[in-house]
Amino acid sequence: MVRLKDVSIIFNKGTIDENRAINNINLSINEGDFITIIGSNGAGKTTLLNLIAGTYLPSSGKIFVNDKDVTRQPEYKRAKYIGRIFQNPLLGTSSNMSLEDNMMITYKKGFKGLTISLNKKMRQFFTDHLVQLDMNLENRMKDNVIMLSGGQRQALTLLMMVLSHPDLILLDEHTAALDPKNAALVLELTTRFIEEYHLTTMMITHNMSHAIQYGNRLLMMDSGEIIYDVEGEEKKKLTVEKLVEKFHQIKKKTFETDEVLLSGE
Ligand SMILES: Nc1ncnc2c1ncn2[C@@H]1O[C@H](COP(=O)(O)OP(=O)(O)O)[C@@H](O)[C@H]1O
Ligand SMILES: [Mg+2]
C-alpha cells in the first residue's frame, strides 16, 4: 500500500548542524497493517511520518502509495487519503467552531467534490457516531470545541478521521499529553476503530508494552534507521525485556562495527 524506497532526509545540509534524520529507509506497508513504532527521542519517528504525510519531501529516495509515485506530492493533497493525529489535542480540531461544523468539514473531505450540507439527516448521522464515544458529546453538537477536554478533543479528532475514510492513519504519541484515564480511553477507542474500520495504521508510542500489545507489526527506530521490524507470531512472543535486550544487542553490534571500521580492520 505504502512503499518507501531508499528514503533519506538531511536537515541543514552543508552546515555544521547537518543531520541525516532518516537514513536510507526501505519499508513496505501492507493494507490492514497496524504498525506500532518505538525508539528513543530523536530516533526519527516523527520525521518518518512527516515524510509519508508530505510535510517534508525526502532529500533522496521515493515514496509510493498504491504503486503511484507521490514523492513530490504536497501535503494537502496527501491529506485527502492520509489521516493524522498529533500529541497536541489542539491540532486536530478548530477551537472556535462547533462540534458539528468541525465534523462536517472533515466528513466532506471523504466525498471529494460532492455538495453535502448540514441538514437534519446529517446531524443525526453525526449524533449516532458521537454516541460511540460514550462521552455525552452527542448532546453538545453546538458547543465550540474549545469547551472540550483534551481527551474529548482527541476522541473527536479520531472519530472525524474515521468518517473521512482515510487509506492510512498516522498517530504520533496521540495519547501522551492526556491524563492516564483519558489516555486509556482514547487508546481503547483507537484500537476499536482501527479494527472496526480496518484502518491501515502507523502508531508511534513511547510505551513499550502498548507497542507489543497492539498491532500486528512493530518497528524499532534508531538514528534514522529501522533497526528492528517484527510481525505476526514473532511479535506476539515479544516482552518488554526481550525488546530492551534486542535494542542493546543491535546498538552494541552497530557500535562494534563502527569500532572495527575506525580501527581499520
Ligand atoms: N524541521 C527540522 N529541522 C531540523 N532538524 C529536524 C527537524 N525535524 C526533526 N529534526 C531532527 O531530526 C531528528 C529526528 O527527529 P524526530 O523525527 O522528531 O525524532 P523522534 O520523533 O523519534 O523523537 C532529530 O535530530 C531532530 O532534531
Ligand atoms: Mg516525535
Side-chain angles (χ1 to χ4, degrees):
M1 214 218 116
V2 179
R3 191 157 60 88
L4 277 70
K5 193 172 181 307
D6 301 324
V7 169
S8 295
I9 189 164
I10 304 166
F11 290 117
N12 306 311
K13 198 175 172 143
T15 73
I16 191 163
D17 294 322
E18 180 166 312
N19 179 4
R20 187 176 275 267
I22 292 294
N23 187 15
N24 213 33
I25 281 189
N26 285 289
L27 175 69
S28 281
I29 301 162
N30 302 311
E31 198 168 336
D33 263 351
F34 178 1
I35 301 175
T36 57
I37 305 174
I38 54 169
S40 41
N41 270 336
K45 305 181 295 298
T46 297
T47 305
L48 178 65
L49 298 200
N50 278 330
L51 285 164
I52 293 174
T55 316
Y56 300 139
L57 300 183
S59 307
S60 58
K62 285 195 177 301
I63 299 172
F64 300 89
V65 175
N66 294 328
D67 291 325
K68 185 181 163 203
D69 186 346
V70 299
T71 312
R72 299 278 135 197
Q73 191 180 54
E75 183 173 31
Y76 77 91
K77 285 201 174 150
R78 286 189 227 185
K80 292 198 169 72
Y81 56 88
I82 298 179
R84 200 164 182 197
I85 306 186
F86 300 91
Q87 186 170 336
N88 183 350
L90 301 181
L91 293 176
T93 40
S94 302
S95 297
N96 295 312
M97 271 170 41
S98 65
L99 264 78
E100 59 180 25
D101 285 341
N102 265 286
M103 291 182 83
M104 193 63 206
I105 285 178
T106 321
Y107 186 69
K108 273 186 181 164
K109 222 176 73 173
F111 292 88
K112 294 132 199 144
L114 281 181
T115 322
I116 307 167
S117 56
L118 188 52
N119 52 23
K120 200 172 154 204
K121 214 170 130 199
M122 206 67 239
R123 286 204 172 86
Q124 189 57 48
F125 175 75
F126 290 155
T127 307
D128 292 346
H129 279 84
L130 282 169
V131 170
Q132 295 179 40
L133 303 183
D134 205 12
M135 292 175 162
N136 195 34
L137 295 182
E138 62 278 14
N139 295 313
R140 300 181 62 184
M141 298 256 290
K142 306 263 181 214
D143 279 1
N144 275 0
V145 167
I146 202 164
M147 317 267 289
L148 305 185
S149 72
Q152 289 170 333
R153 275 184 89 140
Q154 283 308 60
L156 178 65
T157 304
L158 192 66
L159 176 64
M160 285 166 36
M161 194 177 67
V162 168
L163 293 181
S164 76
H165 300 291
D167 292 333
L168 173 71
I169 66 171
L170 307 174
L171 310 172
D172 195 345
E173 304 199 35
H174 70 305
T175 63
L178 307 176
D179 62 79
K181 187 170 157 268
N182 274 301
L185 254 169
V186 171
L187 189 58
E188 194 274 324
L189 207 57
T190 307
T191 53
R192 182 149 62 86
F193 281 155
I194 288 171
E195 205 164 292
E196 255 176 59
Y197 296 88
H198 309 289
L199 298 167
T200 308
T201 304
M202 298 177 83
M203 180 175 89
I204 299 175
T205 173
H206 59 245
N207 186 316
M208 291 232 207
S209 33
H210 288 168
I212 293 169
Q213 186 184 345
Y214 300 111
N216 65 310
R217 186 172 172 192
L218 179 150
L219 302 180
M220 188 191 283
M221 290 190 68
D222 187 59
S223 308
E225 294 176 4
I226 294 168
I227 58 169
Y228 187 42
D229 180 350
V230 58
E231 64 186 316
E233 288 306 310
E234 199 188 339
K235 174 175 183 294
K236 282 193 194 141
K237 282 192 230 136
L238 282 174
T239 59
V240 172
E241 292 72 32
K242 274 193 209 159
L243 212 50
V244 172
E245 194 190 323
K246 194 91 199 168
F247 182 72
H248 289 305
Q249 253 176 26
I250 295 166
K251 285 287 267 189
K252 189 160 169 282
K253 211 164 70 192
T254 319
F255 182 68
E256 279 168 358
T257 322
D258 285 351
E259 231 179 14
V260 171
L261 286 174
L262 289 172
S263 68
E265 281 174 39

